[in-house]
Every structure is written in structure tokens, then in C-alpha cells.
Amino acid sequence: MRKILISVLAGILIIGGSIFAAKYIINSKENRRPRPKKVIKTVFVDTVENGMVPIVVSANGNLVAKNRVELYAEVQGVFKTGSKLFKPGQEYKQGQTLIRIDASEYYASVQSAKSNLYNLVTSIMPDLQLDYPEYFPKWQKYLANFDLERTTPKLPEISSDKEKYFITGRGIFSSYYNVKNLEQRLSKYSISAPFSGILTEALVTEGTLVRAGQKLGEFIKTGAYELEVAVSKTYADFLKVGAEVKLANLNNTQSYTGKVVRLNGRVDQASQTITAFIEVNGENLKAGQYLEARLNAKSEKEAIEIDRSLLVDNSKVYVVRDSILDLIDVSPVYFTDKKVVLKDVPNGEMIISKPVVGAYAGMLVKVYGAETAEKTEK
């Protein structure tokens, strides 16, 4: 019995000591986790000053030569070598031969027809001198000026019905117009540059057999180009022919000034846009070059312009009032890819100028530069 009592007491002492030791260890442990400090974010603001904001419509496109000619063959023959190689990038002056097709066989038939006409006129001269001597001198002069190596001269003017019947009966008119038709076709064996420019496309080479209707290349005039851009129908009424347009290249390293020369009278049903054609001149411009146009559509009164990233739910913006963020309603009137024009923003409001991560209405903030300004004033 005594041993049992001693064992019970010993157990109680051990359990009590363990509990006491545990409480001591728990109470002696220090709480090393620091209390989080309240962080007040610094924001950048701009003071609202409503004014006149020009609405600039941005559009882009590729330059197309204002004067461009696609070269096609109207006759068949072998492409002959000219004074210059028919290659892309080759420059030609106005009037220089671009393409020359071998016309030796056709030229012989033209000369034969001209010779027949000359013989016909010669054959009527004796009868003309006897029956109608008053008309003889002008036809004699016509024969004197007739040169087989040159273009057939125009027939003398007919003075009376008697002369007309006489000339017609001898088949001179039909022979003359047959010759002129052949000469017209002969001229198609050679294609000359209609203006000074450059060859941008060459689809044939010297020695190639060219067929009628075959495309030979493309020739453009350098320095004068047009830019075709699509503008929203909303701003079509503000675009006028003759209006100046600012243009820039893709990298914004070069700028140009163009003008609206034409406006399409039809609205594209799919995109609800109107096509505007802008003329721009420059020796360093190239056909196919990408340019961005900025068209001045109109000016919005009592408005401001901010980054689109500052707009909340497309109708609100953050302002700072007594170091607290607040949301106010605004009226967007025009959007670009980066900017938005707003109305109904009160003058003097401190509007956020850079996005704030995790912003919400009622958030405590401090304005960047405000503390420095306060110290300076003191």
C-alpha cells in the first residue's frame, strides 16, 4: 500500500512539473514577427485645365506612285536590245524608248502600202491636169512632199464635190486610210517613256518572243505619290479636299507634309469608313513605303487628353482629394490607340497621371513632390 501511494504521488509530481515547465517555455518565447507597417503609395498627378483639344485621326497605308503605267504588248515579235537594259531600277527620261520589238517584216508591208498610195496619186495626175487643172498644183505639191521614209502626209483638202468624186473613184481615200492604219500599228512596236521615271517591274528580257496582250513590266514617275487611307465615317464631314496632312515613316525618323486630293463618295459597308487619298512629294520616298498619316479632323472645346490606361471602366478616372483616391465620372469623346479625349472633368481636379497598381476608391496616397513643396514653403 505504501509503495502504491508513493508511485501515485511521484506520478502527480512529474505531471505537474511537466505542465509548469511547458507553461514557462511558452510564456518565455518572444514574438519576433514584426507588425506590418502601413504603406502609403506615392502617386503622380496633373492638375486639370480644360481647353481646346485638337482631334487628330491617325491612319496608315502604303505609297502608290501617282503616275504609274503598266506596260503591255499590243503586237507580237522578238524583244530587241535597246540603249538601256530593261531591268527593274533602270531610269528613263521622257521620250526615251522603253521597249523595242522587231518590226522589220511588218515595216516592209507598211512601205509596200505607202508605195501603192504614191503610185495611185501619181496615176491620176495626167487626168487631173487635163480635166481639173485648178486642183493640179496642190496634188503636185503633195507628191513632192511624199517621202517613203517618213510618216505619210495628210491628203490635200478637197475643194469641191467634183474633186471628191474624182479622187474617191480612183480609190485614193481607201488606200490612204489603209496606210495610216498600218502606220498606227507599226508605232506599237516601240514603247516610249511617257514621263521621266524608273522601271519598277520587268517581266521580259532581251531576245524574248513577246506575244500580243502580254504584260511586259511597270513604269512609274518618281517623286510624286499618293497614300490611300481609310477614315471613320464619323470624321468624314471634317475632311476637306486640299487640307494639309502630317505624315511620318514607321520609325518616326522622317516627316512629310501632304494634302488631301480626293475623297471617295462611297462608305465601305463592312468597316463604315471612307477612303481619303493624300498626295505627298519627296525624292527620298519610294513606292510601297509604309507611312502614317495624322489628319486634323476637328477641335473639342472644354476637354483634356490623357492616356487610355488611366481610364477605368471606359467612363471614370481616379482623382486625389485630401490624400485619398476617388473615382469621378467622365465623358470620353474620342479614342486613339494610346490616348483618350475627355469632357466633364472639373478644372482644378488633381487627376492621376500614371497608373497605380491596386488602386481603389478611398485608398490613402501621397502626391509626389507634395512634401518637398511643403518644406520649401516653410
Side-chain angles (χ1 to χ4, degrees):
M1 189 69 182
R2 186 179 178 184
K3 290 182 179 180
I4 294 172
L5 185 61
I6 293 172
S7 297
V8 172
L9 291 174
I12 293 172
L13 288 175
I14 292 171
I15 293 171
S18 299
I19 294 172
F20 177 79
K23 287 184 177 181
Y24 178 80
I25 293 171
I26 292 172
N27 292 333
S28 65
K29 185 178 181 181
E30 294 182 1
N31 188 6
R32 296 183 180 180
R33 175 184 283 181
R35 292 184 178 180
K37 294 182 180 179
K38 194 171 185 179
V39 178
I40 301 177
K41 290 190 177 181
T42 301
V43 295
F44 295 84
V45 298
D46 285 330
T47 303
V48 174
E49 291 183 9
N50 286 291
M52 194 76 74
V53 178
I55 292 182
V56 180
V57 180
S58 296
N60 50 65
N62 297 92
L63 289 179
V64 177
K66 184 179 180 181
N67 297 304
R68 180 175 65 94
V69 177
E70 289 187 344
L71 306 173
Y72 284 89
E74 297 184 59
V75 295
Q76 180 172 310
V78 177
F79 184 13
K80 297 185 68 176
T81 304
S83 58
K84 293 183 177 181
L85 288 175
F86 191 75
K87 299 290 183 183
Q90 184 66 59
E91 295 183 356
Y92 292 87
K93 298 293 184 182
Q94 183 176 1
Q96 281 188 323
T97 301
L98 294 171
I99 296 169
R100 193 159 58 92
I101 299 172
D102 186 14
S104 54
E105 183 179 347
Y106 193 80
Y107 176 77
S109 64
V110 174
Q111 293 301 95
S112 176
K114 290 170 70 174
S115 178
N116 289 336
L117 174 63
Y118 184 83
N119 292 338
L120 273 177
V121 176
T122 304
S123 66
I124 68 168
M125 295 306 289
D127 294 336
L128 195 64
Q129 188 175 20
L130 290 174
D131 299 334
Y132 308 102
E134 66 274 21
Y135 307 133
F136 180 79
K138 63 180 179 182
W139 285 94
Q140 188 178 34
K141 183 179 179 181
Y142 178 78
L143 284 176
N145 294 329
F146 198 103
D147 188 348
L148 290 175
E149 300 301 325
R150 296 182 181 179
T151 303
T152 303
K154 186 179 179 181
L155 291 175
E157 288 189 10
I158 303 301
S159 305
S160 66
D161 289 341
K162 292 187 297 182
E163 183 185 10
K164 183 174 70 173
Y165 297 149
F166 179 80
I167 298 301
T168 303
R170 300 301 178 92
I172 291 177
F173 281 122
S174 60
S175 180
Y176 170 77
Y177 286 114
N178 179 55
V179 170
K180 297 303 290 185
N181 180 53
L182 293 175
E183 285 183 336
Q184 184 67 28
R185 188 162 183 81
L186 180 63
S187 65
K188 299 181 184 298
Y189 281 83
S190 178
I191 302 177
S192 300
F195 41 76
S196 297
I198 190 170
L199 193 68
T200 58
E201 184 181 27
L203 302 177
V204 292
T205 56
E206 289 80 354
T208 304
L209 176 61
V210 175
R211 301 186 183 279
Q214 181 179 348
K215 186 178 180 180
L216 308 177
E218 187 177 271
F219 184 72
I220 68 168
K221 183 178 181 180
T222 56
Y225 300 91
E226 283 188 352
L227 184 70
E228 180 180 339
V229 296
V231 182
S232 174
K233 179 183 175 293
T234 308
Y235 302 101
D237 295 337
F238 302 103
L239 294 176
K240 302 295 181 184
V241 173
E244 283 197 354
V245 181
K246 297 297 182 183
L247 304 166
N249 62 354
L250 188 60
N251 300 322
N252 272 329
T253 55
Q254 292 178 322
S255 59
Y256 310 91
T257 301
K259 67 177 181 178
V260 179
V261 291
R262 295 192 309 282
L263 291 171
N264 198 334
R266 182 174 63 87
V267 177
D268 186 277
Q269 294 183 356
S271 60
Q272 287 297 295
T273 58
I274 291 178
T275 304
F277 297 88
I278 303 167
E279 182 179 336
V280 57
N281 299 316
E283 293 300 325
N284 58 338
L285 293 172
K286 303 293 182 185
Q289 183 177 348
Y290 178 92
L291 288 183
E292 184 174 6
R294 295 175 62 83
L295 299 92
N296 292 317
K298 65 174 183 176
S299 294
E300 196 69 50
K301 297 179 181 179
E302 294 298 314
I304 62 170
E305 186 179 49
I306 64 171
D307 288 340
R308 286 190 64 167
S309 59
L310 302 175
L311 196 61
V312 180
D313 296 333
N314 285 331
S315 62
K316 298 177 181 180
V317 292
Y318 280 110
V319 295
V320 178
R321 291 174 176 170
D322 297 329
S323 300
I324 296 174
L325 282 185
D326 192 12
L327 273 174
I328 62 171
D329 294 322
V330 293
S331 300
V333 293
Y334 178 68
F335 289 90
T336 67
D337 56 342
K338 294 181 180 179
K339 299 285 187 179
V340 58
V341 178
L342 304 177
K343 298 196 74 170
D344 298 336
V345 185
N347 281 320
E349 286 282 7
M350 299 177 67
I351 189 171
I352 296 295
S353 61
K354 290 185 179 180
V356 179
V357 179
Y360 58 90
M363 182 180 182
L364 189 64
V365 294
K366 61 180 178 180
V367 177
Y368 176 78
E371 295 179 357
T372 305
E374 289 178 0
K375 291 179 180 178
T376 305
E377 289 177 1
K378 292 179 181 180

